[in-house]
Amino acid sequence: PKGTTVDSIETFLLNFTMRMFKILSSVVTTTSVFALLAFSSIPSSSDAFVMLPPSKATSPKTRIGATELRSLSSPTSTETSSPSDAASAIPSSRFVVQNRFRVREGREAAFEKRWADRESRLGTLDGFRFFCMLRKVGGGDDTDPNYVSCTVWENYENFEAWRTGDAFKEAHGGGTVRGVASMLAASLRNAKGKPKPAFWRGLLPEVVAGTPPPDGEGWRRVEADGETKIPADCFVAMNRFSVRPGMEDAFEGRFAARESVLKDYDGFRGFLLLRRDGDKKAGDGKEPDDGYTHSTFSVWTSKDSFDAWMSDSKKTAAESASKKEDGSSDGKDDNSEKKKTTIHLFATTYSSIL
């Protein structure tokens, strides 16, 4: 209603949930009440990554200066396939879940603090590989997500085990009715609408191996005051593609056949080719809401290291184009092949935190 403030909404939510708790506690257990409130506050399983805070873990990670960046893949891991991989030439090696947020202008630091302050057992769970919160670099319209949470799992089963377990409930409100109400109020205050999910199958992983930090801690604590944005830990680039139906294998095959030189560059930390897996639920077979079927996902220590690689890539492309004009090419027209498979390309870069 006109004149309603966010604080008054928060008070209403808290009072309402507390009243519901008192009413329902006479007929059901406290555990059941929490499950009811927690899951009713999240429209579908696709919203599972609203809360993914720093936590302690023992999974492999790479240290970047003072930053601990978990490996996108494990040295002992093997490729894992799923029913959705059956018709694909390249089996998936990872399962990636992203939630796209549109954070209100002026509320970015508060949004980041909510994530930095939350307790979680995420990093201790089987199959957990990597987490980061992506903060968009550059502008965009009001409908374009400016924050993206990104979690990499060994496989879909690991993600499902987290989503249906106690760790999920703890991450969504801290295990209390008051925590659920606080979570809902913070969402109203900081973001425009609910987050939009994106599920991906991770292909062709490339990583720089690292070692656990000597202090034995799996995940460092990040100080956030809610007034200033958290300094970036690393830099992430995503090129999103809309691939024509029936051309998915050809598109992925070009990546598989390339001779990658990413590991030759200082500052490179990891790469995945992502294949979209459904819309609002993983593997639901529906078209993605934004139309993108594939994406690259590359992690760098800084924008400077990424720019150095980009500069060399452009030089290589220019030299290749020059050879074709001189008639010294091998007769293959890579651009022509790209036009056959790809409808649209959208490049986005992010500062990565947490």
Side-chain angles (χ1 to χ4, degrees):
K2 185 176 181 180
T4 300
T5 65
V6 173
D7 288 337
S8 65
I9 294 175
E10 181 175 7
T11 300
F12 167 77
L13 286 170
L14 179 58
N15 290 337
F16 175 78
T17 52
M18 292 301 291
R19 288 175 183 173
M20 288 296 297
F21 177 79
K22 291 179 180 178
I23 294 172
L24 292 174
S25 62
S26 62
V27 292
V28 296
T29 66
T30 302
T31 301
S32 299
V33 172
F34 171 72
L36 170 65
L37 292 172
F39 285 101
S40 65
S41 69
I42 299 169
S44 70
S45 63
S46 63
D47 293 322
F49 280 76
V50 177
M51 307 273 188
L52 289 182
S55 63
K56 295 183 179 180
T58 56
S59 56
K61 64 191 78 113
T62 300
R63 181 179 288 275
I64 301 178
T67 302
E68 296 163 11
L69 178 62
R70 300 177 190 281
S71 299
L72 294 180
S73 70
S74 168
T76 59
S77 65
T78 57
E79 288 192 340
T80 57
S81 60
S82 68
S84 63
D85 291 324
S88 302
I90 302 175
S92 63
S93 301
R94 297 288 176 270
F95 186 73
V96 181
V97 181
Q98 295 182 336
N99 260 339
R100 297 159 289 164
F101 299 85
R102 185 60 198 171
V103 176
R104 299 177 187 276
E105 185 176 358
R107 299 297 304 176
E108 296 90 349
F111 174 82
E112 294 176 9
K113 179 175 172 58
R114 290 284 301 185
W115 283 76
D117 289 349
R118 289 175 185 137
E119 299 289 341
S120 174
R121 291 190 286 119
L122 173 71
T124 66
L125 303 181
D126 290 341
F128 173 74
R129 285 288 163 259
F130 177 79
F131 171 80
C132 63
M133 172 62 75
L134 303 176
R135 181 174 62 212
K136 188 177 180 182
V137 175
D141 58 39
D142 289 339
T143 62
D144 193 29
N146 53 357
Y147 281 82
V148 181
S149 67
C150 180
T151 309
V152 180
W153 298 88
E154 191 80 16
N155 52 50
Y156 172 77
E157 289 72 23
N158 295 141
F159 163 70
E160 272 294 286
W162 170 79
R163 191 186 67 82
T164 58
D166 291 339
F168 173 84
K169 300 174 186 177
E170 294 169 3
H172 292 76
T176 66
V177 175
R178 182 181 292 273
V180 174
S182 177
M183 177 189 70
L184 294 174
S187 297
L188 288 171
R189 181 184 290 110
N190 296 331
K192 297 180 179 180
K194 66 178 182 180
K196 295 182 178 180
F199 302 95
W200 308 86
R201 298 286 171 170
L203 319 176
L204 308 173
E206 289 187 63
V207 297
V208 176
T211 56
D215 57 15
E217 288 294 320
W219 200 314
R220 65 191 164 82
R221 291 295 177 180
V222 178
E223 295 296 329
D225 59 15
E227 299 294 332
T228 56
K229 295 179 183 178
I230 298 173
D233 294 326
C234 52
F235 185 83
V236 173
M238 292 182 66
N239 288 337
R240 286 171 282 175
F241 302 86
S242 295
V243 176
R244 297 181 186 278
M247 301 301 295
E248 295 87 355
D249 285 352
F251 176 83
E252 294 172 9
R254 287 210 313 271
F255 277 90
R258 67 182 180 147
E259 184 178 348
S260 175
V261 295
L262 290 172
K263 291 184 179 180
D264 296 338
Y265 284 86
D266 290 338
F268 171 72
R269 309 320 293 176
F271 171 86
L272 282 171
L273 175 63
L274 305 179
R275 176 201 297 148
R276 201 66 171 267
D277 187 23
D279 182 28
K280 292 184 178 180
K281 292 184 178 181
D284 62 12
K286 297 181 180 179
E287 293 294 323
D289 58 3
D290 55 9
Y292 295 112
T293 62
H294 292 75
S295 179
T296 58
F297 184 84
S298 60
V299 183
W300 302 80
T301 56
S302 67
K303 185 177 184 299
D304 289 342
S305 58
F306 170 77
D307 287 343
W309 169 77
M310 275 294 295
S311 177
D312 284 353
S313 296
K314 290 178 180 179
K315 290 179 182 179
T316 301
E319 291 172 357
S320 177
S322 178
K323 288 180 180 180
K324 289 178 181 179
E325 291 177 358
D326 294 340
S328 57
S329 70
D330 57 8
K332 296 180 180 179
D333 187 351
D334 188 56
N335 286 329
S336 176
E337 288 298 313
K338 289 180 180 179
K339 290 177 182 178
K340 290 179 182 178
T341 60
T342 308
I343 299 174
H344 183 60
L345 162 66
F346 184 74
T348 315
T349 56
Y350 304 88
S351 294
S352 178
I353 61 174
L354 302 178

